[in-house]
Every structure is written in structure tokens, then in C-alpha cells.
Amino acid sequence: MHFLLVNAGADQTICAGTAVTLSGTDAGGTWSGPVAVTNGTAFTPPVGIHTFTYSVTNAATCTNTDDVIVTVNALPVVNAGSDQTICEGEAVTLSGTVAGGVWSGPVTIADGVSFTPPAGVHTFTYSVTNVAGCTSTDDVVVTVNTLPTADAGADQTICEGAAVTLSGTVAGGSWTGPVTIADGVAFTPPAGIHTFTYSVTNVAGCTVTNDVIVTVNALPTADAGVDLAVCDGEEVTFNGTGGTSPTWTGPVAVTDGTPVVLPVGVHIFDLTITGSNGCTDTDAIQVTVNALPTAVATDNGDATITASTGTTYEWIDCGTGLAIAGATSQTYTVTANGSYSVVVSNGTCADTSDCVVIDYMNVSEMSLDVISLYPNPTRDNVTVTMSSASASIEIIDAQGKLLRATQVVNGDKIDLSTYETGMYIFRVKTENGTSIFRVSKN
């Protein structure tokens, strides 16, 4: 009897999905087991512990067998997560659903730790190995879309009130900032430092921004002063305030702080000043130069002096240089010999006449009549005697004011009892002339 030797080979341990080849050492044998096996041909058994038997029968019809055990360990379950699409410059975090795995890809990363991948389409693989030494992998694709280009332009510095235009160098963007603006459209921002952001979004939905700073310097406050009204020949001094380098422009050349005499008329002068930030402001002043009146005092020969036409009048005693109280009419009635002038005003400007000498008071140099007023001084009445049949009498106070005008005949009495104590002028006019008398009332 012959003993038949059979060898199915060594036991094997593999991971699920791995192919295995069973080869009996004696030719002509057959395999039996949980799945069909062909000697020497690779196959992929399912997970589990499988016994495969190799049988060999010789010519004497004697059969012998040998077993081989194939252990198929299960793979770990791994999930790298969903594919992600981001924009360039954004961070992404990849986290496998099974702990303990490792990542591989175009850049080195750690599970659960954010990183910023470059632009492009990147595949990252998450690998997990279980205690049986079996490894599973899963891929995640991270698509990093490139950013568009956005350029808001250079920073700008302007003065308050000036317009500025912001234009992004890439079309289709939008502006945000402290005030609403449109690309390429001029606007006038308020004083201050303002940041405007230009945003551009591409077809991938990625947005990039760029800032421009617009510095708006406040204007100085130019003050040319209040409008002026002066008289011809009067000096005017321009003093601009609010900044440095005051410059004046107008119908005649003027210098800040220097007196100047302007011609008659209405003149507008503009002041320009510069602030410490280089910004300028302007202000205007109106200077009205009024013409002077021409004051002339004319002796009428009857103890009255008439001034040339004006708006107001003030009579002056040239001997004292003082104004005569109450003498503000165009015609002044003289009460004593002396020298007199008049200040004539046109409502704004005034002129003083030459002095007029009066030296004929208390003399009837024009009358051919014999006239007498008595008593003088008097307490109550004045009696008029004269060679003419009748006369007109004007009574004037010391200020030149006409108090009374009346007609008298020889022998009439004029009542002064209601008059205040003082000196009064009597101007007596007859057909032969005029006589002037000074009457004192006690």
C-alpha cells in the first residue's frame, strides 16, 4: 500500500477586496470550499474565515486531502466628507468621519484643522487602518476658484466742496462707503477721512474687494468783514481773517492791512485765504463810497444865512468852533454879529462851508423908516413906533427858530408875556426895507 501526500499550502490572512491564489502542491487535485476555486487562479473571497480543502486521488483511486484557512478581515468604514468649492484665499477644514485616519494630497494637512489651499482642483485622500491592518480610503475634491481682480484706484485728498470721481479698474463692480456712489460718477463727499470699497464678483461667485481712502480737508473760514459805507476821501483798511496769505481782488488793487482811498461808487472786493491744509475759502465785502455834499453858506443880507441843499444842517459859531444849539434848519437867523458856517449832510456824508461874517446886527442899513421898539428890555409888551403906515414883524429866538410872524401898524403892542426870558430877534419889514432889532425879555 502506498501513502498519498497532499499539501494545500499555508493558511492566509487578507483584507476584504484583496485577491488570493490557492495552489495545491500536488497536481491534479481539486478545491472545495465556500466559493468555487480553481487551483492556481486568483479569486476574491468575502469577509470571514473560510476553509478550503484540496483533494488529490491517485491511480490506485486512493484519495487524500489537506485544508487551508483563508481569513478575510473587513475593511474599516471611511468617509472623507463632501466635496467642497471655495474661493481663493478662503480656509477649508477636512474632517474624516472615522477618527485616527491620515490625509494625503497636494498639500500637507491635518484632520479637522483649517488650511488655505491654492487655486485649482485638488483631491485629498483620507486613509484609515483598523486593528486588522486593513486600510480604506475616501477622496474629497476641493475646488478653489480664482479671485477676480479689483483695483479701487489711488487714495485721494481733496478740499471740502470739491467733487471726486472713483472708478474701479475692472468693470462691473460696486461701491460701498459712507455715502452712496456710482462707479465713474462724480460726487462731493463731506469733510473727513472716508474709506470706499470696490467689490468685484466673477462668474464663480468669488468676490474680491479693494479700498480707496478719500481725505476731504475742511475749508478755512474766510471773513472779509462787514460791508462798509464811507465818504469820499476816507481811508479804508481791508483786514481778512480765517487763515493765512489773505489775497484781495476787486476793481482796484488793495493790500491786506494797508489803508487805501477808493473812488466814489459801490465796490465789491473778494478775499481769498488759505488754511494750514492748503484749502482755500473766499468771502466778499461791499464798500460803498458816498460822494461828499458841497456846503455853501450864503448871507441873505437880512440877518439870515441860507445853506446849500442837503439832508440835514448844523450851524457853527466860527468864533467858538461850537455848534449853535437848535440851529438845524437850512436857513439860520443870526442873533448877533459874528462869523458863521454850516455843516451840510446828504444823509451819509457831510461838508463844512466857509465862514460867513455878519457885522450889521442892530442896524437898519436897509430901511429908510424911523422905527423904534420899547421898552427894551421888557417884561411883557413891546410897543412899535414907525414912520410907515404898517410893517410885518418876525420874532426869532436865539436858536434861529421863527416864533411868530404878524402885521402891525404904528403904535401896536406885541405881547411877550408868554415868552421865556432871553434874547429875541425882531425882523421888521416895511415897504422901504428891513430893520433888525435885539429885544431882551426879563
Side-chain angles (χ1 to χ4, degrees):
M1 181 174 108
H2 298 282
F3 186 76
L4 181 61
L5 295 176
V6 177
N7 188 357
D11 292 341
Q12 298 189 43
T13 300
I14 61 173
C15 293
T18 302
V20 65
T21 302
L22 300 182
S23 298
T25 56
D26 293 297
T30 60
W31 287 95
S32 61
V35 295
V37 177
T38 300
N39 193 54
T41 300
F43 69 101
T44 304
V47 173
I49 300 174
H50 311 292
T51 300
F52 294 89
T53 301
Y54 190 62
S55 300
V56 177
T57 300
N58 60 15
T61 68
C62 293
T63 299
N64 198 5
T65 63
D66 189 29
D67 293 335
V68 63
I69 297 174
V70 178
T71 301
V72 182
N73 291 314
L75 296 176
V77 177
V78 62
N79 186 354
S82 301
D83 294 342
Q84 298 192 42
T85 299
I86 61 172
C87 293
E88 187 177 6
E90 292 182 3
V92 65
T93 301
L94 300 184
S95 299
T97 57
V98 177
V102 294
W103 286 96
S104 60
V107 295
T108 301
I109 64 173
D111 191 63
V113 178
S114 65
F115 68 102
T116 305
V121 180
H122 311 293
T123 300
F124 292 89
T125 300
Y126 189 61
S127 300
V128 177
T129 301
N130 58 18
V131 294
C134 294
T135 300
S136 286
T137 63
D138 189 34
D139 293 337
V140 62
V141 177
V142 178
T143 301
V144 183
N145 291 312
T146 58
L147 295 176
T149 301
D151 187 356
D155 293 343
Q156 300 191 41
T157 298
I158 60 173
C159 292
E160 187 177 8
V164 65
T165 301
L166 300 184
S167 299
T169 57
V170 177
S174 60
W175 287 96
T176 57
V179 295
T180 301
I181 64 173
D183 192 63
V185 177
F187 69 102
T188 305
I193 299 175
H194 311 293
T195 299
F196 293 89
T197 301
Y198 189 62
S199 302
V200 178
T201 301
N202 60 16
V203 293
C206 294
T207 300
V208 70
T209 63
N210 188 231
D211 292 339
V212 62
I213 296 176
V214 178
T215 300
V216 184
N217 289 319
L219 296 180
T221 301
D223 186 0
V226 298
D227 293 344
L228 298 175
V230 298
C231 297
D232 188 19
E234 186 177 344
E235 289 185 335
V236 176
T237 301
F238 294 86
N239 289 300
T241 62
T244 60
S245 306
T247 302
W248 292 92
T249 56
V252 297
V254 298
T255 302
D256 197 73
T258 301
V260 63
V261 176
L262 302 174
V264 173
V266 179
H267 312 293
I268 303 295
F269 291 88
D270 293 316
L271 167 68
T272 301
I273 58 100
T274 302
S276 58
N277 55 17
C279 294
T280 61
D281 188 32
T282 61
D283 189 29
I285 184 175
Q286 176 177 294
V287 181
T288 302
V289 182
N290 295 297
L292 295 175
T294 301
V296 177
T298 301
D299 179 10
N300 299 316
D302 60 354
T304 62
I305 309 173
T306 299
S308 52
T309 301
T311 302
T312 62
Y313 310 91
E314 183 179 58
W315 290 93
I316 305 296
D317 184 338
C318 293
T320 64
L322 300 176
I324 300 172
T328 57
S329 298
Q330 186 175 4
T331 298
Y332 172 62
T333 300
V334 178
T335 60
N337 290 327
S339 181
Y340 303 93
S341 66
V342 65
V343 178
V344 178
S345 170
N346 59 11
T348 303
C349 300
D351 186 32
T352 303
S353 72
D354 294 334
C355 292
V356 174
V357 176
I358 302 296
D359 56 5
Y360 53 79
M361 293 299 297
N362 295 327
V363 179
S364 299
E365 77 274 1
M366 296 181 61
S367 177
L368 301 177
D369 295 306
V370 177
I371 302 173
S372 175
L373 276 70
Y374 67 89
N376 187 9
T378 182
R379 181 181 299 275
D380 297 312
N381 298 312
V382 172
T383 300
V384 180
T385 63
M386 57 187 173
S387 57
S388 295
S390 65
S392 65
I393 294 181
E394 292 179 347
I395 303 174
I396 300 165
D397 67 12
Q399 285 75 43
K401 181 180 179 181
L402 177 64
L403 301 178
R404 182 179 177 187
T406 185
Q407 291 290 124
V408 297
V409 296
N410 184 42
D412 278 351
K413 296 180 182 295
I414 299 175
D415 184 10
L416 300 181
S417 62
T418 60
Y419 289 13
E420 295 181 356
T421 300
M423 185 66 66
Y424 294 89
I425 301 297
F426 280 64
R427 183 186 292 123
V428 183
K429 295 181 181 181
T430 70
E431 61 183 6
N432 296 316
T434 300
S435 297
I436 297 173
F437 299 87
R438 299 174 69 186
V439 176
S440 178
K441 165 73 166 58
N442 293 333

